[in-house]
Amino acid sequence: MKTARRLEQFPEYVHARLAKEITAVEKASGRKVLNLGVGSPDIPPSEKYLGKFTALLREKDAHLYPGYGGTKEFKDAIREWYKKRFGVELEQDEVLVLLGAKDGIAHLPFALADAGDEILVPDPGYPAFSGSALLAGATPVPYTSADEIEQKTTKKTAFIWVNFPSNPTGAVATREELEKLVAFAKKHSVPIAYDNAYSEITFDGYVAPSILEIEGAKDICVELGSFSKTFSFAGYRMGWMVGNKEIVTALAKVKSQTDSGMSLPLQRLGAFALTNQDMEWHKNMIATYQKRRDIIAEKLKKLDLTFEIPKGSLYLWAKIPDSARDSESYCMALLKEKNVLFTPGSAFGVNGGRHVRVSICVDVSDINSYL
Ligand code: PLP
């Protein structure tokens, strides 16, 4: 069977490959693997939302096509939340509902880039940034720092992905850094797509900013948000893009060809969740993640890994010992010897080759029997 040539650019998805390794190791050892590779929030959503959701499913029009772009009610709830959380005012046409932030990541290159254009992507970074560029026939250009963004921006640059708190590194951005980025983007008329999927997953009192807080950012920036981490709704596929009107309109046009909107029960759930945020549940979720982060950090130190304690995201990003050959062989050896899986940093780009990503989305109450 002939499949499209563009697919030849993609190796087997890393988590699919690792799942096979886990099965093999569990079979050989007869023991369950402690899988610290996955990034799927495991903490169940607040009961407050689950009860509401089941009622919403029974509403008379729940099964109907929902229309494109998002209901007014849902978009208003997103606007209100932005005002409350970031002090950012948004108009109706500056908001687009997404089927998860990844929906925006997958389709934005089709809205902003032509074949042969370049898209700057963080490296190490979330693999979908470069994957979606490739699907659209654009060239992902990896960067490691703000300085490299400046060096690597050319006439061919269609736009720049920026992601803080970062997957996989857990790095966060200061307002000053965002100010500099916005100034650079404006000077060169190159849009920034800011992925703020982890804005509400922060620790030690750190509060993540929105890039739209920066004066004039809306002239050149959009921002992605997600319900996956904030509300543990990952499987419901709910998110948004907000900011520059032209970019919002362009992405809506692409999406009108690829999906038929978010189901009404989910939009109503989203509106309800944003306007009735269960802050007690959220506080407990953050406390759980933070406790796990600290427990895992102690274990990583014992393994001679070097890292900084992350202020945000759901991961620790650690450098492997000099004696290790590379991240892939380090992870495979750990899996075989200890029945513990970390994600090889190489899955996040060429600059991840000497790191591992360790997820805190996993119950680690029995970690002492592994490490
Ligand atoms: N952006 C980043 C940086 C992520 O790490 C992830 C998921 O892991 C996503 C976006 C996807 O979010 P969503 O579940 O809303 O599609």
Side-chain angles (χ1 to χ4, degrees):
M1 151 92 76
K2 177 191 178 299
T3 55
R5 222 168 285 135
R6 72 176 66 85
L7 296 183
E8 289 161 15
Q9 305 169 97
F10 299 96
E12 187 182 10
Y13 188 55
V14 63
H15 292 292
R17 186 166 54 77
L18 294 175
K20 285 184 202 155
E21 300 281 355
I22 289 177
T23 308
V25 167
E26 285 183 341
K27 207 168 159 203
S29 66
R31 187 174 182 216
K32 206 172 156 34
V33 164
L34 178 61
N35 184 355
L36 299 173
V38 291
S40 184
D42 65 315
I43 295 170
S46 160
E47 275 301 323
K48 184 171 169 180
Y49 310 136
L50 292 180
K52 184 79 184 169
F53 189 27
T54 45
L56 289 170
L57 280 172
R58 295 194 167 277
E59 287 192 359
K60 240 185 165 165
D61 59 352
H63 64 288
L64 296 176
Y65 277 124
Y68 296 94
T71 62
K72 181 173 183 310
E73 177 206 11
F74 189 23
K75 294 206 305 189
D76 281 347
I78 294 169
R79 292 169 62 212
E80 272 305 306
W81 187 81
Y82 253 76
K83 200 154 107 191
K84 214 164 100 185
R85 169 65 176 84
F86 299 116
V88 170
E89 303 261 1
L90 295 166
E91 304 295 329
Q92 271 279 336
D93 55 3
E94 292 172 333
V95 180
L96 180 66
V97 168
L98 299 177
L99 310 179
K102 194 172 185 178
D103 177 21
I105 297 171
H107 293 119
L108 197 57
F110 291 95
L112 296 184
D114 288 307
D117 284 351
E118 296 177 350
I119 298 172
L120 264 62
V121 300
D123 183 334
Y126 184 51
F129 296 139
S130 50
S132 60
L134 291 170
L135 277 179
T139 306
V141 175
Y143 71 83
T144 57
S145 63
D147 282 349
E148 275 197 15
I149 289 180
E150 301 202 359
Q151 288 155 20
K152 295 192 172 184
T153 297
T154 69
K155 286 201 170 63
K156 283 188 179 173
T157 309
F159 72 102
I160 303 167
W161 281 114
V162 179
N163 167 224
F164 295 110
S166 156
N167 174 13
T169 71
V172 297
T174 63
R175 247 192 98 90
E176 293 67 41
E177 285 164 337
L178 296 185
E179 272 165 12
K180 274 175 90 172
L181 279 172
V182 172
F184 176 80
K186 281 181 131 178
K187 186 168 163 206
H188 297 274
S189 296
V190 180
I192 288 178
Y194 190 75
D195 182 343
N196 214 352
Y198 295 92
S199 68
E200 307 314 297
I201 310 294
T202 55
F203 310 115
D204 306 323
Y206 171 77
V207 179
S210 158
I211 199 163
L212 301 181
E213 288 172 30
I214 310 302
E215 174 98 43
K218 267 200 245 170
D219 296 344
I220 198 83
C221 300
V222 284
E223 177 161 289
L224 299 183
S226 173
F227 284 78
S228 299
K229 334 283 169 179
T230 307
F231 296 97
S232 259
F233 284 176
Y236 299 173
R237 313 307 304 129
M238 298 163 71
W240 63 71
M241 186 174 89
V242 295
N244 182 273
K245 213 175 281 190
E246 275 173 84
I247 301 178
V248 164
T249 306
L251 183 60
K253 204 165 173 180
V254 173
K255 274 173 53 62
S256 72
Q257 298 299 324
T258 60
D259 68 72
S260 301
M262 179 187 289
S263 75
L264 290 172
L266 283 176
Q267 295 200 51
R268 289 167 183 158
L269 173 70
F272 178 78
L274 287 173
T275 39
N276 299 274
Q277 219 174 335
D278 187 344
M279 292 318 288
E280 191 57 28
W281 174 88
H282 185 264
K283 201 173 92 194
N284 290 335
M285 172 181 73
I286 294 296
T288 303
Y289 285 144
Q290 191 166 316
K291 203 164 136 200
R292 290 175 181 174
R293 178 198 68 174
D294 296 339
I295 291 169
I296 295 170
E298 285 309 309
K299 298 293 181 188
L300 299 189
K301 273 188 218 158
K302 285 197 190 138
L303 289 171
D304 266 346
L305 296 168
T306 39
F307 57 92
E308 280 180 31
I309 298 283
K311 284 201 168 62
S313 87
L314 291 169
Y315 319 99
L316 287 118
W317 179 247
K319 190 165 179 296
I320 56 176
D322 290 343
S323 55
R325 198 177 57 189
D326 56 37
S327 66
E328 178 83 26
S329 55
Y330 180 87
C331 288
M332 289 307 114
L334 189 78
L335 178 62
K336 286 186 182 122
E337 283 163 27
K338 304 273 188 193
N339 277 48
V340 173
L341 180 71
F342 298 162
T343 307
S346 49
F348 303 96
V350 288
N351 296 314
R354 296 210 61 80
H355 284 76
V356 292
R357 191 192 76 170
V358 187
S359 167
I360 61 174
C361 305
V362 181
D363 178 6
V364 288
S365 48
D366 59 349
I367 198 168
N368 286 337
S369 67
Y370 287 91
L371 291 172

